[in-house]
Amino acid sequence: MRRRWTTAPAAALAAALAASGCGGGTGGGGDAAQVEVFSWWTGGGEEAGLNALIEMYEERHPDTEFVNAAVAGGSGTNAQAVLEGRLQSQDPPDSFQGHAGAELQDYIEAGYLEPLDGFYDEHGLREALPDQLLEQISYDGSVYSVPVNIHRSNVLWFNPSVLEEAGIEEPPQTLDDLIAGLEAVEEETDAVPMAVGAQWTVDHLLESVLLGSLGTEGYNALWEPGADWGTPEVAAALADFEAVLEHTQEESASEDWQEASRRVAEGEAAFTVMGDWAAGYFDELGMTAGEDYDWAASPGTEGTYLWLSDSFTLPVGAPNPEAADAWLELAASREGQDAFNPLKGSIPAREDADPEQYADSPYLSAALEEWQSGPELAGSFWHGVAADNRWKNAIDTAVGLYLQDGDTDALQDALNEASQAAQTE
Ligand code: BGC
């Protein structure tokens, strides 16, 4: 395809981008009639949210071809490796999905991202987004991404009928309740007590167990410089983790989060701990909240939002910075966020979103209300807030070994080493 700028000549564009602080000076050579957006939203719920945005983009920019460069694999396990390769070889997409927090800081420090200060000023975004979120996407006073949502990691999804069959009257409030509940499901029903999928879903479970066992302050302290993971408190949390994992299904490693969630909604499993993207998936499956599935904060974490946020970036050298700018404008807008999030199973990053758009979903309306009430906050480590990619990968390696050898002491040592290594990076 011939390369051309769609709405402004290149010189005018370069001047506009320079004035907006949007960068893009290193771009060029790309196809201006195209925008390539990189994410890992290919599965149930997530793809629907992305498609809603793509549709809006195509309506607003009919002359620009939207290239959906999503790479399959829950939580970006495959996508992030592909992306890193592209960034290292200076072949960036026009925009890519990156979690607010430590993960984004990695990309910024590596020099992969353009600052978006001018873009923020132009669209009044500093006023539209919560301060704690702005902090997570800023570096040296500049802002580097556009958050589209807030997700909650610490959700315990359960099947009400299976719980009833197991004689569990209320969703478990504490990890001890959960472990007792898992034993009851094991004894009284044929269902899998706790559904998990690929290894990353076990990492995901680990963060909720750490939070539930250590409390918000104790969990947040784990990510502070010099944090000691060798304590009896962490040992107790890992003992809970072990007890929970004893009640998971065996044939899970080849499945992703959708399969674990589906097992719950269809009564094959009692519980799963998964982020609230599962809410989008349940909707897509036509499941009814309160009947096919229900939810509670993961045990021991009531009142705390273990949060994460998907955000989009402008990479240095983006081939089509103007088209990327239009994508970011849509992702930042109230209309864009209110179209995307109800399908995605997340609440908007913007504080001025329309609550009506979330009213049809019992889960999302409750989540929005809780978020707006100012819950305690803890940052997800698996989804990029609390730990950078290197630290997160070291934890994943430790968890992988643990899943093979079941040695909890060795797991704790490895987690402690990962924490010490992260401090000296
Ligand atoms: C992302 C979500 C996504 C989930 C499962 C998380 O890391 O932030 O947007 O739905 O992974 O793929």
Side-chain angles (χ1 to χ4, degrees):
M1 191 180 298
R2 242 176 67 77
R3 303 185 164 183
R4 66 185 169 86
W5 298 107
T6 45
T7 59
L13 169 70
L17 287 173
S20 74
C22 212
T26 49
D31 188 339
Q34 166 173 308
V35 65
E36 186 193 15
V37 175
F38 187 96
S39 76
W40 57 87
W41 293 334
T42 60
E46 347 191 88
E47 191 179 22
L50 176 60
N51 284 343
L53 279 180
I54 295 177
E55 231 172 80
M56 286 176 93
Y57 189 92
E58 286 173 341
E59 264 166 36
R60 291 181 185 191
H61 307 283
D63 295 333
T64 306
E65 182 196 357
F66 193 99
V67 179
N68 179 358
V71 172
S75 85
T77 38
N78 303 326
Q80 285 172 344
V82 173
L83 178 66
E84 188 58 39
R86 288 189 60 174
L87 294 174
Q88 277 182 19
S89 55
Q90 297 175 1
D91 172 32
D94 294 306
S95 184
F96 67 82
Q97 172 188 2
H99 288 123
E103 180 185 310
L104 195 79
Q105 306 292 325
D106 269 358
Y107 294 128
I108 301 169
E109 282 170 18
Y112 292 149
L113 299 183
E114 294 286 356
L116 295 169
D117 298 311
F119 179 87
Y120 264 65
D121 291 344
E122 189 187 338
H123 299 289
L125 281 183
R126 286 178 203 276
E127 292 70 45
L129 296 169
D131 289 344
Q132 80 270 15
L133 185 53
L134 285 170
E135 252 173 55
Q136 301 289 333
I137 54 169
S138 298
Y139 186 83
D140 270 353
S142 283
V143 203
Y144 282 87
S145 74
V146 171
V148 278
N149 64 5
I150 302 289
H151 265 307
R152 187 175 195 175
S153 162
N154 58 323
V155 188
L156 178 73
W157 304 95
F158 57 90
N159 183 297
S161 310
V162 177
L163 263 57
E164 198 184 327
E165 196 187 333
I168 304 169
E169 282 165 14
E170 289 198 354
Q173 299 284 308
T174 63
L175 284 163
D176 284 348
D177 292 349
L178 174 66
I179 293 160
L182 296 173
E183 282 163 7
V185 174
E186 195 96 62
E187 278 162 24
E188 305 296 332
T189 80
D190 292 334
V192 170
M194 174 65 76
V196 293
Q199 185 173 311
W200 78 264
T201 69
V202 178
D203 294 302
H204 180 103
L205 174 65
L206 174 62
E207 68 182 23
S208 269
V209 172
L210 288 171
L211 178 64
S213 183
L214 297 169
T216 309
E217 213 178 300
Y219 172 91
N220 284 337
L222 290 178
W223 313 102
E224 295 294 328
D228 181 6
W229 287 57
T231 62
E233 289 78 14
V234 172
L238 296 180
D240 287 338
F241 183 53
E242 180 176 30
V244 173
L245 286 181
E246 273 166 20
H247 299 283
T248 54
Q249 83 276 31
E250 280 168 14
E251 71 278 23
S252 55
S254 61
E255 299 177 353
D256 215 321
W257 66 271
Q258 284 97 341
E259 190 61 16
S261 307
R262 185 202 57 75
R263 283 174 186 272
V264 171
E266 292 186 352
E268 286 172 29
F271 298 102
T272 192
V273 172
M274 191 34 64
D276 48 9
W277 40 91
Y281 182 51
F282 291 142
D283 273 358
E284 196 172 291
L285 291 179
M287 298 293 175
T288 306
E291 284 176 25
D292 300 309
Y293 70 93
D294 216 333
W295 74 88
S298 59
T301 73
E302 181 73 47
T304 299
Y305 226 93
L306 184 54
W307 72 277
L308 60 128
S309 169
D310 294 308
S311 71
F312 281 94
T313 56
L314 179 66
V316 168
N320 305 300
E322 185 197 10
D325 189 76
W327 163 252
L328 294 177
E329 184 178 346
L330 174 63
S333 70
R334 182 174 153 162
E335 303 73 37
Q337 297 204 356
D338 285 343
F340 169 77
N341 285 305
L343 295 167
K344 181 66 171 59
S346 39
I347 56 172
R350 291 183 70 104
E351 295 188 300
D352 62 354
D354 177 5
E356 274 303 303
Q357 303 297 322
Y358 303 83
D360 283 350
S361 158
Y363 172 77
L364 286 178
S365 45
L368 190 57
E369 197 178 317
E370 181 156 358
W371 176 256
Q372 288 174 340
S373 74
E376 284 195 65
L377 296 179
S380 161
F381 87 75
W382 184 253
H383 304 280
V385 182
D388 62 19
N389 278 333
R390 206 154 127 194
W391 193 351
K392 164 186 153 165
N393 289 335
I395 295 176
D396 185 46
T397 302
V399 167
L401 285 174
Y402 171 69
L403 288 175
Q404 312 226 332
D405 66 16
D407 183 340
T408 322
D409 291 340
L411 172 63
Q412 184 167 11
D413 288 346
L415 292 176
N416 202 21
E417 272 168 32
S419 159
Q420 304 312 318
Q423 315 307 341
T424 52
E425 266 170 27

